Amino acid sequence: MAERKICVSVEVVECGLAFRFVLMRQGRERQAILIRFQGAVYGYLNECAHIPMELDYNLGDVFDLSRQYLVCSTHGAYYDPRNGLCLGGPCAGQRLQSIAVFEQDEAIWLNEEGNRNE
């Protein structure tokens, strides 16, 4: 399995600022984020499902004030952090594009093969 280390685990804080990084998807560089929610790490393309604009107006600021949902600062769409499902807003029922990541040895890794053809 082709893997790439994204960051050390402590850089992704529970319900804190998202860790931003770049990956290749569909032949071009794309902005992506890592978040930690209820102890687990999740990765998503940093693009609203409504219109592909970055979720965070202030870098890494993707959680709403309750720290229970991800929110698009432009469109107000809000998402379940565990699966990227839009729960309300202009794209209800759609999902953020997930990134195959895993946590091991106090680091967070990108599964390059799992993200190649999506």
Side-chain angles (χ1 to χ4, degrees), residues 52-97:
M53 296 179 68
E54 291 183 2
L55 296 173
D56 52 343
Y57 178 75
N58 294 316
L59 296 182
D61 191 6
V62 295
F63 278 97
D64 73 338
L65 294 176
S66 74
R67 313 314 272 173
Q68 296 301 303
Y69 304 100
L70 303 179
V71 65
C72 174
S73 61
T74 303
H75 308 113
Y78 61 98
Y79 300 90
D80 185 327
R82 297 166 296 186
N83 57 24
L85 177 65
C86 182
L87 301 171
C91 53
Q94 295 181 35
R95 291 183 188 273
L96 298 174
Q97 294 181 50

Side-chain angles (χ1 to χ4, degrees), residues 21-32 45 47:
F21 67 103
V22 176
L23 64 87
M24 291 296 293
R25 189 175 258 193
Q26 298 171 335
R28 65 185 177 100
E29 285 189 350
R30 309 283 289 275
Q31 293 294 319
L45 284 185
E47 297 177 356

Side-chain angles (χ1 to χ4, degrees), residues 2-54:
E3 303 166 350
R4 178 179 73 145
K5 182 177 176 179
I6 302 170
C7 64
V8 295
S9 293
V10 297
E11 292 183 86
V12 183
V13 177
E14 180 74 22
C15 296
L17 293 177
F19 184 90
R20 295 170 50 102
F21 67 103
V22 176
L23 64 87
M24 291 296 293
R25 189 175 258 193
Q26 298 171 335
R28 65 185 177 100
E29 285 189 350
R30 309 283 289 275
Q31 293 294 319
I33 56 171
L34 294 175
I35 60 157
R36 187 179 300 278
F37 185 74
Q38 297 178 342
V41 173
Y42 301 92
Y44 297 105
L45 284 185
N46 190 9
E47 297 177 356
C48 182
H50 173 55
I51 295 174
M53 296 179 68
E54 291 183 2

